[in-house]
Amino acid sequence: VLLTDLDQATLQQLSSKRSGAIVAIGSEAAAKLQSSLAPAAPLTYCMVANPKASGLAAGRPTQGVSTDIPASDQFAMIKKALPAVRKIGVMYKASSPRSAELLAEFRAAAAGTPIEAVDIDAAGSPSDAIHRLLQAKPDIIWTAADSSVYNAGTIKALLKESLSASIPVFGFSSQCVRAGALFGLTVKPEEQAAQAAQIARRFIASPGLTTPSTIVPPKFRLAINSVVANRLNIRIPSELLASADETFGE
């Protein structure tokens, strides 16, 4: 059912026991169903960023797959790829609660490693923030799926300027790595769907199942841009190159 076709009659049908399993794809659909379905109707979701913001961490029996890769896994991958990293650069927006939350999570994961955080609000513009960040000369710049900071223009500018400054970027998507980030962790829609299907099957196999609301971490993939690695004269450990799910530039 498309979100635009979701009327009251359809919601009542979905809430009935005959529906078996209800799966929402995407944050907008998940938030809509979470607020509209009967309280006892179980809900499964996938391709949802920040499920707590959509109210998916409480209430009805809800289990689903987030697109948010834990900050601890991201930091661990940075250290595996670049063991000599001593300072990490980050851009964020202090006026955005989500942006501040992402920065706090990464700081906690990277405890002991200095974080050079540049606030776009204080800098005055994304362009000025990029310049300030590069002037701090971090060993790598970490990016996140933060819509208050990154759009197509900001990403393009950051990748161009950081490459000129010989500073690698950790990308938050496959597209970002393809465009010029050195490497990054990504999620694939088909893998999210497979994880959601496993959860939905449990609901179908046990009608009336009530479980605490659970957010399942996503399966993630490693993407590496070998052209950027060569341009920056960075040697990625051979075991990571062998385990990469996507390698651009081969």
Side-chain angles (χ1 to χ4, degrees):
V1 178
L2 293 174
L3 193 58
T4 52
D5 298 332
L6 195 61
D7 55 20
Q8 194 58 41
T10 304
L11 285 169
Q12 291 177 352
Q13 181 180 4
L14 290 174
S15 296
S16 72
K17 293 182 180 179
R18 295 189 300 274
S19 59
I22 306 168
V23 180
I25 302 175
S27 299
E28 188 177 356
K32 174 67 175 178
L33 290 175
Q34 172 73 354
S35 63
S36 304
L37 290 171
L43 176 63
T44 301
Y45 60 86
C46 64
M47 296 302 296
V48 173
N50 194 16
K52 291 182 180 179
S54 298
L56 296 167
R60 75 180 69 259
T62 303
Q63 294 192 8
V65 191
S66 169
T67 57
D68 301 328
I69 299 172
S72 56
D73 290 319
Q74 297 180 57
F75 178 69
M77 187 57 68
I78 288 174
K79 294 298 288 185
K80 284 181 182 178
L82 303 173
V85 161
R86 295 293 179 267
K87 182 167 67 172
I88 300 174
V90 179
M91 282 201 307
Y92 77 109
K93 197 174 182 69
S95 59
S96 164
R98 178 57 177 164
S99 188
E101 180 183 25
L102 287 168
L103 174 59
E105 290 173 356
F106 190 73
R107 279 192 189 278
T113 299
I115 302 295
E116 182 70 33
V118 175
D119 174 20
I120 291 179
D121 292 330
S125 70
S127 177
D128 288 338
I130 291 171
H131 291 155
R132 287 190 186 183
L133 191 57
L134 295 177
Q135 286 173 356
K137 299 188 183 303
D139 297 308
I140 189 169
I141 296 170
W142 173 76
T143 69
D146 181 353
S147 60
S148 70
V149 173
Y150 294 108
N151 55 35
T154 308
I155 283 290
K156 182 177 180 179
L158 174 63
L159 293 175
K160 179 181 178 181
E161 296 294 334
S162 63
L163 190 61
S164 295
S166 297
I167 297 174
V169 172
F170 176 92
F172 60 82
S173 70
S174 178
Q175 293 82 359
C176 188
V177 177
R178 182 192 295 271
L182 175 61
F183 65 101
L185 297 181
T186 71
V187 298
K188 290 293 184 182
E190 56 267 35
E191 292 178 347
Q192 290 257 311
Q195 286 182 270
Q198 291 180 341
I199 297 170
R201 281 193 288 268
R202 289 200 293 269
F203 279 126
I204 293 172
S206 304
L209 176 67
T210 58
T211 60
S213 295
T214 305
I215 300 172
V216 179
K219 293 181 179 179
F220 53 81
R221 299 161 66 92
L222 172 63
I224 296 174
N225 191 318
S226 60
V227 173
V228 172
N230 291 334
R231 171 81 178 268
L232 298 180
N233 197 27
I234 292 175
R235 180 185 171 93
I236 301 291
S238 57
E239 62 270 19
L240 283 187
L241 287 172
S243 66
D245 300 283
E246 294 180 289
T247 304
F248 300 110
E250 284 191 333

